[in-house]
Amino acid sequence: MDIISNRKISKNILQWYPMDKNSNVLQIGYIEAEIIEELCNKTKNVTIIVETEEQKQKIIENIKNNNIKIKVVTEIEKYSDNQYDYVTLIGTIKTYENKVEKKAYRRLEKFLKISNNLCKDSGKIILVLDNKYGMKSWTTLKADKNIICNQTYALSKKLIDKLLEMQGFKKYKYYYVLPDYNVPNAIFTDDYLPNLESINRNFLYGAEEFENFNQTEAYTEILKENPQSFKFFANSFFIEIGKSELEDNGIEFVSYTNIRKSKYQIQTTIYEDRVEKTYANNEAREHIKTISKNIDIMNQKRIKTLDRYENDKIISKYVKNHQSYDRILIELLENKKENEFFDTIFKYQNNLQEKLEEINYEQIKDNNVFIKYGVNIEETILKKLHFVKYGLWDLIFHNSFYIDGEIYFYDQEWFDYNIPIEFIIYRAIAYFPVAHSYISGKELYERLKLIEFLKVFEELDSKLQDEIRDDEIWQLHQRTRTGQTLLDLYQNLKDEFNQYKKIYNLTTMEKATNTLKENEKLKEENERLKQQIDEIHESTSWRVTKPVRWLGKNLKRG
């Protein structure tokens, strides 16, 4: 399946962006139905300019909103209409490739002029396009998409800045989109660039099945050198342009959980002073309510949280000046304080065990998380575990901050009754990869007394992920193979072939050797028989019986 055909993701490019509900919008160029529908839901009136009647009919078939006009315009330069509050150029530079100007920068120059004329003085222009030097243009194996040939539809940030200045635009804000604007999963800003941790969490699925090298790994290396370099290599740009003024919306970062099933998908928006989570689709509205119930449980059990529920949103305090709890644990390892590291985790475990209400196994032996998810486990092992009634199984180090001597949790989306506290600690370690670079996983689990439960915990965690994960998106995420992988595959096949040749040649040589040995044996036998015959010929009895043999032979002839 082509990743671009996954329409349920494409609307993310606009879903997060706040628009005036009473505004009039013009989109230049055909775009996906889901994006058009999002425009219709956000604003009062939407006009879409397309090139053909076929495109117009396709939109009519897919869009049922009443606040939309579709106009077929063959000469876009001559189009004039009432001025709009928003003029959107979402994918327009790509849509009009080889139709309006040959070079992308000439095309953008023309569309900026057109948009300037059609936009109100108080309005905004939204420009969405690919970056000429985006990482995907370096990793691609397709000649028409690399940094040499993509100049017909992609532009560098430096050239875009120049064109905006030439058109007199002075107020604009960049948003950096990953993986790209066709399948947005994370949107960064100058105030919130990715770090070594977030780049791995928010970069999902590859648009191509094969790449020269892994994009996430490449971004990781770049971020180690200079986080600002990310802006040069971001795959796509979303640019908010104020025709005269541009009021800052305060948004620093946006992410989606596209890898999940629809009913669990949420949108996270980080502002300067808060973090907001809301449902990414109507089906996920219930999941937000589930999170609100988890917040109630934490409050009831005296577990401190940064989260609160309000108007279909989970709102959290945005913590900037305090350390995450995993960072505190890492510092202990960096300072070679291993014993303190493990002691701290045991205290963490005991604290949660008490607050989540420990329950006797005999009370829940027929009703626990292993039975619910069909994980087979021996009763002897079950009896060694310490079950808690309120199983907030994502109370991991990564989801907590250490503030004024207290641990504050956030992002507690998941809950099951009757879970072992040891499983929560197992997940806290399993999803703490940095710790594994200091101490081996085996030693971590052994010293935390988890090693004998490891197999069933891994199976349980896998079952939980299967419940949450969208298989189609997961397969897309997993499918990409890098050039190095292909080279390894080629080398492996070559090695196997050479090994086969050796075996084949050895077999052939063995057969030849055996034949030679058999020939030698036959030759020796022949020599032995010949010698025996010669000995007979030389014997006295052979000479004495010679006349008899002659007579017998001649009598037969007669």
Side-chain angles (χ1 to χ4, degrees):
M1 178 185 119
D2 184 348
I3 193 167
I4 305 306
S5 68
N6 202 310
R7 303 291 188 254
K8 63 185 178 182
I9 294 175
S10 61
K11 69 174 182 177
N12 291 355
I13 194 61
L14 200 63
Q15 186 177 26
W16 62 277
Y17 183 71
M19 301 180 81
D20 186 343
K21 191 68 178 174
N22 295 313
S23 61
N24 296 315
V25 181
L26 172 69
Q27 159 64 23
I28 300 178
Y30 178 83
I31 51 174
E32 302 296 346
E34 280 209 354
I35 302 177
I36 297 172
E37 188 175 29
E38 191 67 26
L39 280 172
C40 292
N41 292 338
K42 282 178 170 289
T43 60
K44 185 177 180 180
N45 295 300
V46 176
T47 302
I48 308 290
I49 291 178
V50 296
E51 302 166 77
T52 65
E53 287 292 339
E54 184 181 0
Q55 289 177 340
K56 178 178 179 179
Q57 190 58 37
K58 193 173 181 180
I59 294 173
I60 291 171
E61 290 171 1
N62 288 285
I63 300 297
K64 306 306 178 186
N65 300 68
N66 296 320
N67 59 336
I68 184 173
K69 294 179 182 178
I70 309 159
K71 298 183 178 182
V72 179
V73 178
T74 54
E75 295 183 80
I76 187 67
E77 300 93 333
K78 296 181 180 179
Y79 179 78
S80 61
D81 202 348
N82 295 327
Q83 290 191 319
Y84 296 90
D85 299 292
Y86 298 93
V87 177
T88 62
L89 303 173
I90 301 173
T92 306
I93 304 305
K94 177 71 173 175
T95 301
Y96 285 89
E97 184 182 9
N98 300 322
K99 298 168 187 174
V100 175
E101 300 292 346
K102 187 176 180 180
K103 297 291 186 182
Y105 77 92
R106 291 291 187 194
R107 197 175 314 124
L108 177 56
E109 184 179 25
K110 181 167 287 188
F111 279 118
L112 286 174
K113 287 180 180 178
I114 294 169
S115 301
N116 202 8
N117 291 331
L118 296 172
C119 186
K120 291 180 179 178
D121 289 339
S122 59
K124 297 176 183 177
I125 298 168
I126 304 300
L127 172 62
V128 179
L129 76 168
D130 276 331
N131 175 13
K132 176 176 173 57
Y133 298 113
M135 189 62 71
K136 67 179 182 179
S137 299
W138 299 87
T139 64
T140 183
L141 293 173
K142 297 182 179 180
D144 62 327
K145 294 184 177 182
N146 64 33
I147 61 168
I148 304 300
C149 300
N150 69 1
Q151 59 185 333
T152 59
Y153 63 87
L155 288 158
S156 69
K157 185 175 183 296
K158 184 177 180 179
L159 188 51
I160 295 170
D161 288 340
K162 183 178 179 180
L163 291 171
L164 290 174
E165 290 171 10
M166 286 172 59
Q167 295 301 315
F169 297 117
K170 295 180 180 179
K171 304 287 185 179
Y172 52 90
K173 179 179 179 179
Y174 273 87
Y175 300 85
Y176 309 96
V177 187
L178 290 182
D180 60 31
Y181 74 82
N182 292 296
V183 284
N185 193 69
I187 301 169
F188 298 90
T189 65
D190 289 317
D191 294 322
Y192 196 108
L193 294 174
N195 55 35
L196 296 178
E197 186 274 330
S198 63
I199 195 67
N200 284 280
R201 290 188 80 188
N202 293 298
F203 194 101
L204 296 176
Y205 20 83
E208 297 179 12
E209 189 170 357
F210 301 110
E211 293 182 334
N212 282 315
F213 50 86
N214 183 278
Q215 290 191 51
T216 306
E217 291 177 5
Y219 277 124
T220 299
E221 293 304 311
I222 287 167
L223 291 171
K224 286 178 184 177
E225 291 295 320
N226 181 7
Q228 294 294 322
S229 297
F230 168 77
K231 295 186 282 188
F232 182 83
F233 291 101
N235 280 330
S236 295
F237 301 126
F238 180 111
I239 309 170
E240 180 187 26
I241 308 164
K243 185 169 180 180
S244 56
E245 296 296 326
L246 183 64
E247 184 179 351
D248 189 3
N249 55 31
I251 294 174
E252 294 188 355
F253 172 73
V254 181
S255 69
Y256 292 91
T257 54
N258 295 326
I259 205 165
R260 298 179 184 175
K261 292 174 182 174
S262 293
K263 63 181 179 179
Y264 298 125
Q265 289 180 1
I266 62 175
Q267 172 190 308
T268 299
T269 306
I270 295 180
Y271 296 86
E272 184 179 359
D273 60 343
R274 69 192 186 282
V275 180
E276 293 185 0
K277 293 181 182 293
T278 189
Y279 48 88
N281 56 69
N282 286 327
E283 192 179 354
R285 189 188 292 262
E286 283 301 313
H287 185 55
I288 293 295
K289 291 181 180 178
T290 298
I291 299 172
S292 74
K293 292 176 184 177
N294 293 344
I295 294 171
D296 290 341
I297 290 172
M298 285 191 287
N299 288 328
Q300 290 168 12
K301 296 301 168 185
R302 295 175 291 108
I303 297 173
K304 294 187 180 297
T305 177
L306 298 171
D307 301 340
R308 71 179 192 275
Y309 175 72
E310 186 178 308
N311 299 325
D312 282 339
K313 292 180 181 179
I314 305 299
I315 303 174
S316 309
K317 179 182 177 182
Y318 185 22
V319 179
K320 287 186 176 181
N321 299 319
H322 295 278
Q323 286 185 308
S324 59
Y325 202 65
D326 56 351
R327 183 64 245 176
I328 289 172
L329 291 169
I330 290 168
E331 286 183 357
L332 292 175
L333 293 176
E334 288 174 342
N335 294 317
K336 304 187 185 304
K337 296 180 179 180
E338 287 189 9
N339 290 335
E340 190 174 345
F341 169 82
F342 287 107
D343 288 343
T344 303
I345 294 176
F346 279 123
K347 289 177 183 176
Y348 181 94
Q349 176 176 335
N350 293 334
N351 182 46
L352 289 180
Q353 188 170 322
E354 179 185 346
K355 290 183 176 180
L356 294 174
E357 197 172 313
E358 187 173 1
I359 187 168
N360 188 283
Y361 163 68
E362 293 298 329
Q363 296 177 255
I364 48 90
K365 64 180 180 180
D366 297 323
N367 178 26
N368 58 66
V369 71
F370 297 105
I371 292 173
K372 179 179 178 179
Y373 291 98
V375 177
N376 294 321
I377 179 171
E378 295 177 8
E379 189 166 6
T380 53
I381 294 179
L382 279 169
K383 288 182 177 180
K384 294 179 182 179
L385 295 168
H386 299 83
F387 283 85
V388 292
K389 182 177 180 180
Y390 299 100
L392 294 160
W393 47 262
D394 212 21
L395 289 168
I396 62 177
F397 310 134
H398 175 78
N399 289 341
S400 58
F401 280 95
Y402 196 65
I403 304 172
D404 298 330
E406 298 277 2
I407 301 174
Y408 286 76
F409 291 95
Y410 63 96
D411 278 1
Q412 294 307 303
E413 299 185 48
W414 315 107
F415 175 87
D416 276 291
Y417 284 107
N418 306 331
I419 276 185
I421 190 68
E422 289 89 351
F423 178 66
I424 296 175
I425 301 304
Y426 156 76
R427 294 192 78 256
I429 294 297
Y431 294 90
F432 190 13
V434 179
H436 293 247
S437 64
Y438 289 91
I439 305 174
S440 71
K442 182 181 179 182
E443 184 179 351
L444 283 167
Y445 295 125
E446 280 180 345
R447 294 187 64 174
L448 290 169
K449 300 177 182 179
L450 300 172
I451 196 74
E452 65 178 316
F453 314 126
L454 204 54
K455 186 176 180 181
V456 290
F457 284 174
E458 287 173 348
E459 184 180 353
L460 176 58
D461 194 46
S462 178
K463 293 286 181 71
L464 294 172
Q465 297 305 324
D466 287 343
E467 163 60 25
I468 297 166
R469 197 165 52 212
D470 183 298
D471 290 336
E472 185 179 61
I473 302 298
W474 179 245
Q475 288 171 10
L476 289 171
H477 175 50
Q478 293 289 89
R479 75 171 185 165
T480 301
R481 298 292 181 269
T482 65
Q484 184 61 47
T485 305
L486 294 175
L487 186 61
D488 290 342
L489 177 62
Y490 166 75
Q491 191 61 47
N492 290 338
L493 291 173
K494 185 178 177 181
D495 291 344
E496 286 181 20
F497 178 68
N498 288 335
Q499 186 66 23
Y500 171 78
K501 282 173 61 179
K502 287 179 182 178
I503 294 170
Y504 176 78
N505 289 338
L506 181 61
T507 304
T508 305
M509 288 174 66
E510 285 176 348
K511 287 181 179 179
T513 302
N514 291 336
T515 302
L516 288 171
K517 287 180 179 179
E518 288 177 6
N519 288 340
E520 287 294 327
K521 287 181 179 179
L522 290 172
K523 186 178 179 181
E524 289 174 3
E525 181 68 14
N526 189 47
E527 288 293 331
R528 187 180 64 79
L529 292 173
K530 184 183 177 190
Q531 186 177 358
Q532 287 181 352
I533 291 170
D534 288 342
E535 289 176 356
I536 292 172
H537 287 170
E538 295 297 324
S539 68
T540 304
S541 60
W542 180 265
R543 289 196 300 271
V544 170
T545 58
K546 184 177 181 181
V548 178
R549 290 196 305 277
W550 180 88
L551 181 61
K553 185 165 62 174
N554 283 282
L555 284 173
K556 287 179 182 177
R557 286 178 182 173

